[in-house]
Amino acid sequence: MSKKLTSRAEDYSKWYNELVVKADLAENSAVRGCMVIKPYGYAIWEKMQAELDKMFKETGHQNAYFPLFVPKSLFEAEEKNAEGFAKECAVVTHYRLQNDPDNKGKLRVDPKAKLEEELVVRPTSEAIIWNTYRGWIQSYRDLPLLINQWANVVRWEMRTRLFLRTAEFLWQEGHTAHETKKEALAEAELMNDVYAKFAENFMAIPVIQGIKTESERFAGAEETYCIEALMQDGKALQAGTSHFLGQNFAKAFDVKFANKEGKQDYVWATSWGVSTRLMGALIMTHSDDNGLILPPSLAPNQVVIVPIYKSEEDLEAITNVANTILSELRGKNITVKYDNRTTHRPGAKFAQHELQGVPLRIAIGARDLANGTVEIARRDTLTKEVVAMEGLSDKIEALLKTIQKDLFNKALDFRNNHITEVDNFDEFKEVLESKTGFVSAHWDGTAETEDKIKELTKATIRCIPLEGIKEMGDCVYTGNPSKRRVLFAKAY
């Protein structure tokens, strides 16, 4: 496993691509635009899944599964949603192959096996889910309906990057139905807050909660809430979204219920989701030129123990001590690996675990056994210390909490130092080009101004912050009146 990476300063994009592959997270597949998530990468995703799934269930949601294929007539029922995704859809038109009479040993699509109706491979599941909900909801007693599914979706992307943008990706999508507008809005806000807590408490990524402008909303939504994170190269990344769908899908699929007065009404809806794009956010927020840096909460192995020995007798004695340490750490629910491979030298093991971002490394040699000590190396700071074996599990437990906290604070300091208020367009452009990060500026609220700024600078309005201070000012581009500042940035 080659450790040498292109530095971030030299080429951030190349550094990212190399790191994903060399750290054994994922690789490009034989299918254009699709990726293979390798076991180490998938182990991180599984930890994300497990924690999010727990948070969803604690807020009253249940998991279900819906078909991968959506009949075209259902997909186009909600016009804005269909129009928004139309250019990214993969479509199934036939259901059978046959031997090609003109090419021996080859297959062709059977021209007689054309589907009566084309099937869209889901880019998102609102259509098939809301068509299903019509049979599940008759009365206010059936509400709220709080459903999530873990699934894959396909969006036919032309320019792809591992985890950040692929033709097929993994995600979860929540789809809920409510009796009132107030309840649905509260749900959309709640789930956006769940995403923010997950990003900050488990991924150690500070995020800004906000709402999207009309032109940046999810297709078919009346309001889109989001969490925005800032990567080390000063570009923003949308880490999660939660949508208030109003009654648009209920009306498109005729999902009505008898209210408490016995009258028929359309339900109110939300949808919300995060995807394997979070893996990209995790990598780009914390990692360095030596490789991955993983927060302990999401690291497949929080601790690795490496024996350093010259003889089989040394290895046996070290293994006895290591097994005791393993048992004590696992008793504290700390994930730990004993790397006793005989095919790799200690230096190669150190390099691999550093590249793969294991938070803490313990090295034990014959001298350590004699002294009753071990050497502990922190991945985030690259510092080492020799500590006593006595009380080691408590020391490790405390260190992991410190690392988690330090990673968040480091990312928070970077984010806060890269939010810049500007009041004129020249300064706006200068900050984007030199300092990068979020630019806090007044905007006159029009799509025309938003589009023009994007055309001139490639920066978009990432969000209207929920906690932002409302203050009158002049639009940074037009000079027209503005009610508040919004956050612009170049983004992934």
Side-chain angles (χ1 to χ4, degrees), residues 134-404:
R134 182 173 56 215
W136 292 4
I137 299 170
Q138 278 83 42
S139 162
Y140 70 90
R141 296 182 180 88
D142 300 320
L143 300 172
L145 184 59
L146 308 175
I147 302 293
N148 173 68
Q149 82 161 344
W150 292 95
N152 64 333
V153 291
V154 171
R155 296 180 184 176
W156 212 255
E157 298 280 359
M158 298 306 292
R159 295 181 178 180
T160 59
R161 292 184 71 186
L162 294 171
F163 290 121
L164 293 175
R165 197 172 292 277
T166 49
E168 178 196 13
F169 55 90
L170 305 181
W171 77 346
Q172 58 73 213
E173 48 182 321
H175 298 270
T176 70
H178 302 266
E179 188 176 353
T180 66
K181 177 179 181 179
K182 182 180 179 181
E183 286 180 12
L185 275 168
E187 165 78 5
E189 292 171 0
L190 169 67
M191 298 318 295
N192 201 59
D193 195 52
V194 165
Y195 290 151
K197 284 183 169 64
F198 171 75
E200 297 194 340
N201 296 338
F202 290 88
M203 298 182 72
I205 298 177
V207 294
I208 295 172
Q209 294 194 60
I211 57 174
K212 291 290 189 181
T213 62
E214 185 175 356
S215 62
E216 293 284 332
R217 277 180 204 152
F218 176 75
E222 292 189 8
E223 198 77 89
T224 288
Y225 297 84
C226 63
I227 56 171
E228 293 287 329
L230 192 65
M231 305 297 97
Q232 293 173 11
D233 63 344
K235 286 186 179 179
L237 187 140
Q238 179 181 286
T241 51
S242 181
H243 316 289
F244 168 62
L245 304 177
Q247 295 175 307
N248 296 337
F249 284 88
K251 289 177 179 177
F253 292 94
D254 197 32
V255 184
K256 294 178 180 177
F257 71 102
N259 63 25
K260 291 170 184 173
E261 288 73 43
K263 296 179 181 179
Q264 291 287 306
D265 195 7
Y266 290 105
V267 299
W268 297 84
T270 79
S271 66
W272 29 272
V274 294
S275 74
T276 38
R277 167 174 265 231
L278 289 178
M279 292 285 291
L282 189 69
I283 295 162
M284 291 194 291
T285 299
H286 302 302
S287 303
D288 63 16
D289 292 348
N290 295 309
L292 283 178
I293 294 178
L294 296 175
S297 291
L298 294 177
N301 297 308
Q302 295 169 308
V303 180
V304 65
I305 303 172
V306 179
I308 302 172
Y309 59 94
K310 292 181 179 179
S311 67
E312 288 300 316
E313 290 77 13
D314 286 347
L315 177 58
E316 185 178 349
I318 292 169
T319 298
N320 289 334
V321 172
N323 284 336
T324 299
I325 297 171
L326 283 168
S327 179
E328 290 178 358
L329 292 178
R330 287 171 178 163
K332 291 179 175 290
N333 292 319
I334 294 169
T335 55
V336 56
K337 176 181 180 179
Y338 181 40
D339 190 352
N340 60 349
R341 291 175 293 171
T342 58
T343 52
H344 293 66
R345 296 177 66 85
K349 295 176 185 179
F350 290 173
Q352 177 183 344
H353 298 309
E354 183 175 287
L355 178 63
Q356 292 191 312
V358 178
L360 283 176
R361 184 183 74 232
I362 299 174
I364 308 175
R367 186 179 299 173
D368 293 302
L369 292 186
N371 296 334
T373 61
V374 298
E375 180 188 79
I376 298 177
R378 280 179 61 162
R379 174 62 187 90
D380 60 326
T381 60
L382 298 176
T383 55
K384 301 175 185 178
E385 63 175 323
V386 175
V387 302
M389 287 187 193
E390 186 178 349
L392 181 61
S393 62
D394 291 336
K395 169 83 172 175
I396 295 294
E397 185 177 39
L399 256 180
L400 290 171
K401 291 178 180 177
T402 298
I403 292 170
Q404 184 81 24

Side-chain angles (χ1 to χ4, degrees), residues 117-149:
E117 181 180 5
E118 295 93 341
L119 297 174
V120 175
V121 182
R122 63 177 171 222
T124 183
S125 297
E126 277 80 4
I128 193 71
I129 286 176
W130 279 94
N131 182 67
T132 305
Y133 282 2
R134 182 173 56 215
W136 292 4
I137 299 170
Q138 278 83 42
S139 162
Y140 70 90
R141 296 182 180 88
D142 300 320
L143 300 172
L145 184 59
L146 308 175
I147 302 293
N148 173 68
Q149 82 161 344

